[in-house]
Amino acid sequence: VKEDGRNSYRFFTPEMQAHTSRALALGNALKQALPRGELHLVYQPQVSLLDGRVVGAEALLRWNHPQWGVVSPAEFIPLAEANGLIVPIGEWVLHTALRQLRAWLDGGLPMMTMAVNLSAVQFGQAGLTDMVSQLLRQTGVPPEALELELTEAVAMKTPEVAAQKMQELSQRGIRLSIDDFGTGYSSLSYLKRFNINQLKIDQSFVRDIGTDTDDQAIATAIVQMAHSLGMTTIAEGVETAEQLDFLRARGCDQVQGYHYSRPLLPEHFEAFVRANLQA
Ligand code: C2E
Ligand code: CA
Ligand code: CA
Ligand code: CA
């Protein structure tokens, strides 16, 4: 039993204990993940609803641990944020994703955007803009081909600092997308000032589009608002033709989800794009 200081008690159950020691063990093992080559990226196609073409990829991190097997980023990213490892790991993700895009372009794939997730901790680092610019120069990827995905929480935590940083990134030509849009607490008035290019409709609104009229209304409203503020939209978690048809009818610009493809290893992504070009 542990006192939490507000005249109440919290009980640590065996499940919570197990959870805590797993988190500790994972957090520790994560320190070796990068040097031991246990991390890799998979890429999920982003498809235009105008013509069905692959117009981008989202890089998603995978950790394959020798004992635990594949650990979900939903589990290890928060640990990496807590112990600061997200900074070197995040830089590795950016570098790897940009090198991959360079290799695809050199191999004859059409120009596309590479979307990379940026955590709040990374976003808060001094010198982020220079680090990103340096990697773009080093890999020879045009800044317009990089799309950084930030959550609303990142943008809204300290709006003044965030606005300044987003302006820096956007002045260099880098694209900005708000991830999980609609789930956080955003002040709509800031959206316009933030130099944001794209809103990413959260998959929680996409999932029940077929049956839930509230979700239909939310998805529709996000598309309309984005367009009237000069931004584009992408819906994530699109799994069915029904969801796809609804989003297309409402003017959503792009989709990403299992309906088209799961996140893929580089060689499979390349094959997917080549097949998409023939279709
Ligand atoms: P996210 O950025 O919202 O990514 C979307 C998640 O939905 C991914 O899970 C993706 O595999 C999954 N997904 C894609 N299409 C579908 C679909 O049709 N249906 C369903 N049910 N799911 C779909 P994943 O890869 O497990 O990543 C989970 C989260 O971990 C990401 O959510 C992101 O917040 C974080 N993450 C992943 N890679 C990175 C990274 O390199 N850096 C940072 N900071 N965070 C990352
Ligand atoms: Ca995109
Ligand atoms: Ca994302
Ligand atoms: Ca999401």
Side-chain angles (χ1 to χ4, degrees), residues 194-251:
F194 272 169
N195 305 56
I196 292 157
N197 303 94
Q198 176 180 263
L199 299 181
K200 195 162 193 181
I201 303 171
D202 190 66
Q203 51 189 50
S204 63
F205 304 121
V206 174
R207 196 175 302 127
D208 300 322
I209 268 179
T211 50
D212 188 328
T213 53
D214 289 343
D215 287 344
Q216 292 177 357
I218 291 169
T220 305
I222 294 175
V223 172
Q224 283 171 355
M225 181 185 65
H227 287 171
S228 49
L229 293 174
M231 297 180 278
T232 61
T233 48
I234 179 167
E236 65 177 0
V238 176
E239 297 184 353
T240 68
E242 188 183 26
Q243 293 163 346
L244 190 75
D245 291 342
F246 178 88
L247 290 160
R248 189 190 284 110
R250 299 309 150 112

Side-chain angles (χ1 to χ4, degrees), residues 77-154:
I77 295 280
L79 302 174
E81 287 178 325
N83 65 17
L85 281 170
I86 192 66
V87 174
I89 290 177
E91 191 166 337
W92 178 86
V93 169
L94 235 126
H95 196 185
T96 306
L98 290 174
R99 262 194 319 231
Q100 183 61 70
L101 178 57
R102 184 70 262 163
W104 281 333
L105 296 175
D106 291 345
L109 290 201
M111 183 49 85
M112 62 176 113
T113 57
M114 178 61 78
V116 176
N117 294 284
L118 213 63
S119 99
V121 177
Q122 277 179 287
F123 189 72
Q125 291 278 301
L128 170 76
T129 311
D130 289 334
M131 184 273 279
V132 176
S133 295
Q134 163 85 28
L135 289 178
L136 285 166
R137 267 198 305 278
Q138 210 175 311
T139 52
V141 168
E144 298 74 24
L146 174 61
E147 191 167 75
L148 296 176
E149 295 198 358
L150 305 159
T151 61
E152 287 173 82
V154 172

Side-chain angles (χ1 to χ4, degrees), residues 45 54 109-110 112 268-278:
V54 177
L109 290 201
M112 62 176 113
H268 294 138
F269 182 92
E270 183 171 344
F272 184 91
V273 175
R274 292 197 190 281
N276 177 263
L277 285 169
Q278 308 286 294

